[in-house]
Amino acid sequence: MTRLTGRAVRVTVFIGENDTWRHKPLFSEIVHRAHAAGLAGASVFRGVEGFGATSRIHTSRLLSLSEDLPVAIVIVDTEERVRAFLPELDELVGQGLVVLDDCEVIRYGGGNDASAGHGTKEGA
C-alpha cells in the first residue's frame, strides 16, 4: 500500500458525466489509469449543478432535462508522481479542466491499517 503524508499535490479533473473514452465513461478510465499508475488514490464526485467552457448550465433539478452533470475526479499523490501522470490526462481530457493544487496530507491509511490507532478495537 502507498504511504503518503506531508506535502502532496491534488489533481482535480472537471468533465461531464457523459464524456467517454473508447465507449466507456471517461471518469472510469481516468480512475483505472491512476490505479494502474500506482497513485495513492482517486475519487469521483458527481455534481448537482455547474457550467464550464460552453457556459451551458447542467443541473440535476427535476425541471431540467440535462443529463450531462458535472463530474470531478480528485487524485492526490506526491508532486513527482502526479506530474508523471499528467501525460495520461493530456491524452484523455479533450474538453474539461485540470487543476493542480499543493496540499498537505495529514493522514492516509487503508482499512486494515493497524497504525491508525482508532476506528476498530482489537478483537472486535
Side-chain angles (χ1 to χ4, degrees):
M1 171 177 48
T2 301
R3 296 281 182 209
L4 182 64
T5 57
R7 302 300 304 158
V9 172
R10 175 180 49 217
V11 181
T12 308
V13 181
F14 297 95
I15 58 173
E17 74 175 330
N18 289 342
D19 292 347
T20 60
W21 176 259
R22 298 188 177 163
H23 308 293
K24 64 188 251 189
L26 178 57
F27 60 82
S28 181
E29 182 67 18
I30 292 170
V31 168
H32 283 87
R33 286 197 188 192
H35 184 261
L39 296 177
S43 296
V44 178
F45 301 94
R46 185 176 188 221
V48 295
E49 188 166 70
F51 70 93
T54 64
S55 292
R56 181 169 174 247
I57 293 181
H58 303 270
T59 180
S60 63
R61 286 182 281 149
L62 292 175
L63 297 177
S64 172
L65 298 177
S66 175
E67 295 177 4
D68 190 22
L69 293 172
V71 170
I73 303 105
V74 178
I75 302 167
V76 177
D77 208 316
T78 64
E79 181 173 3
E80 178 183 4
R81 294 173 66 89
V82 164
R83 292 211 179 266
F85 186 68
L86 290 180
E88 299 271 354
L89 294 176
D90 285 341
E91 176 187 354
L92 295 170
V93 181
Q95 290 185 339
L97 176 66
V98 178
V99 177
L100 299 179
D101 296 304
D102 291 329
C103 63
E104 182 177 356
V105 175
I106 58 171
R107 183 182 187 286
Y108 175 80
N112 293 327
D113 187 1
S115 67
H118 60 83
T120 61
K121 294 183 179 179
E122 191 172 294

